Amino acid sequence: MLQFSIQLILLATVAAIDRHKIVYKSLQEATIECNQYNIEGGCLSRCVTQITRDWSDAVGMSPVYSRFFRPDQNDQCSSNRTQRCLEGKIGTIPSLKTCLRAHESVQCYMDQYGEVNQVDPQFIRFTNLQDAQLVYECAAMLGYSSLDQINTLLRDSEFKLHETRCVFRCFMIRSGLYSDSEGLNMPRYYVLCGGYEDGFYQHVAQCSARLLQEVPCDDKCTLAQRMATKCIGIDYATSSVMQKQGDSSNYVVAAQGSKVYMINDQNANSDVSYAVVNSGGSTNVHNTDSNTNLQGSSMFFQSTSSRK
């Protein structure tokens, strides 16, 4: 009996350590939440997939929505069929009919991908606002709470300061993306990055093993930061958006060698200027009314806005 009680305590402790700010939800739970908001039937699919952070009116359905389905292991064409279905549906439905576009996208997965799993909770990625909040919380917990200290950390895009690396490690732990004992949490990174190419897990395993040999074992902050930026960021965008209100500065950091595909900066009635720092790539800026989209492979973008 005593041994069983100890096991329960250990399990509860592990769960508490792992939980931090992490959110898991099932499709069933997301549906119940949407029903509380009195979402009409035609827009229910859009609401559910927005709660699971899989649907965006701008880009459509994330490929990792597939985590809510059980595909037939013998069906090698389910992904291709689903993608063709999505392309066909989205291409024929007007962009303003967002509820219909979301509903038909969900239907593509229902019809083509596999058996839907309504009850098992899945990892829900954070929003940029939640990411920024975690960074500020970690900075405060580690003793960096003044405006000058925060600005110094935000500008350290190359992680030259040990303090920045420790804040980043704290952010990764509280995001559920990393632990000192287990390293990178690849299933959660899969959701965060929107899926991986074949062979990526092997690449990360080899990269992590190399860093374990290269980085001193007592330098936990450097190891965590390098695993994220070297092993994950080398092929996928690893970004963090920090924003200050009023006269604002927005920073988007991408690991060297990665690509920032699109940055949306919406500043109503603002003068917006963009500067590229430490860039070896190209940057294209497109202005459309109040939206400014940046596309390129630069390492560090800085935008400044003067609110009117």
Side-chain angles (χ1 to χ4, degrees):
M1 183 66 180
L2 178 60
Q3 183 179 5
F4 178 70
S5 299
I6 293 175
Q7 288 176 336
L8 286 179
I9 293 172
L10 289 174
L11 286 173
T13 303
V14 170
I17 292 173
D18 184 61
R19 185 168 61 247
H20 291 290
K21 294 285 187 176
I22 305 164
V23 175
Y24 277 80
K25 284 190 179 181
S26 67
L27 291 178
Q28 185 179 70
E29 290 171 329
T31 301
I32 292 173
E33 185 173 342
C34 287
N35 287 332
Q36 292 177 341
Y37 307 143
N38 296 322
I39 302 297
E40 296 181 0
C43 287
L44 184 61
S45 293
R46 178 174 177 268
C47 175
V48 169
T49 50
Q50 283 185 322
I51 286 177
T52 62
R53 309 259 160 75
D54 291 303
W55 174 260
S56 164
D57 290 339
V59 299
M61 191 70 77
S62 168
V64 296
Y65 180 57
S66 61
R67 69 194 184 281
F68 291 103
F69 292 80
R70 301 188 186 100
D72 184 345
Q73 297 300 317
N74 297 320
D75 185 356
Q76 302 299 316
C77 299
S78 59
S79 294
N80 289 338
R81 285 200 315 273
T82 304
Q83 186 59 37
R84 288 197 300 269
C85 178
L86 290 170
E87 292 172 355
K89 296 290 187 181
I90 297 300
T92 58
I93 302 174
S95 59
L96 294 179
K97 294 187 176 182
T98 55
C99 289
L100 181 59
R101 287 164 68 91
H103 173 78
E104 291 299 324
S105 296
V106 168
Q107 198 62 46
C108 282
Y109 276 89
M110 299 282 286
D111 294 341
Q112 306 296 338
Y113 195 82
E115 179 186 2
V116 65
N117 180 356
Q118 294 279 357
V119 296
D120 289 344
Q122 301 293 333
F123 176 66
I124 308 299
R125 64 177 177 83
F126 294 141
T127 64
N128 288 338
L129 182 61
Q130 289 171 319
D131 283 344
Q133 180 182 358
L134 282 176
V135 170
Y136 283 109
E137 288 177 356
C138 282
M141 286 189 294
L142 293 173
Y144 315 122
S145 55
S146 72
L147 184 59
D148 288 342
Q149 288 175 320
I150 294 295
N151 284 334
T152 298
L153 294 173
L154 294 181
R155 292 192 177 98
D156 185 20
S157 61
E158 295 181 339
F159 298 98
K160 293 181 178 180
L161 300 175
H162 185 72
E163 294 86 348
T164 309
R165 297 194 291 272
C166 288
V167 170
F168 190 60
R169 170 178 171 268
C170 171
F171 165 80
M172 291 173 63
I173 291 174
R174 288 176 63 78
S175 299
L177 299 173
Y178 179 84
S179 70
D180 291 330
S181 59
E182 300 295 332
L184 299 168
N185 189 304
M186 294 307 294
R188 290 173 186 158
Y189 261 114
Y190 180 87
V191 176
L192 182 68
C193 297
Y196 298 134
E197 299 168 355
D198 293 340
F200 186 71
Y201 283 93
Q202 182 179 359
H203 158 77
V204 173
Q206 293 172 346
C207 178
S208 298
R210 185 183 72 252
L211 290 176
L212 285 170
Q213 298 297 319
E214 295 177 357
V215 180
C217 60
D218 59 345
D219 193 350
K220 295 181 179 180
C221 297
T222 298
L223 179 61
Q225 173 262 311
R226 292 191 65 189
M227 279 193 175
T229 57
K230 298 295 184 182
C231 302
I232 298 290
I234 193 170
D235 288 319
Y236 296 90
T238 301
S239 63
S240 178
V241 179
M242 320 299 178
Q243 180 171 340
K244 296 182 296 182
Q245 299 299 321
D247 290 340
S248 66
S249 295
N250 299 334
Y251 299 92
V252 179
V253 182
Q256 189 170 11
S258 67
K259 294 182 179 179
V260 177
Y261 292 101
M262 180 172 290
I263 305 165
N264 293 321
D265 188 7
Q266 301 181 17
N267 297 294
N269 299 319
S270 301
D271 294 327
V272 183
S273 62
Y274 290 90
V276 182
V277 185
N278 297 330
S279 172
S282 61
T283 304
N284 301 316
V285 180
H286 306 284
N287 291 304
T288 56
D289 297 328
S290 62
N291 297 329
T292 301
N293 297 327
L294 276 70
Q295 297 178 333
S297 57
S298 302
M299 180 177 175
F300 183 56
F301 293 91
Q302 176 181 349
S303 71
T304 58
S305 306
S306 298
R307 306 283 182 181
K308 294 181 178 179

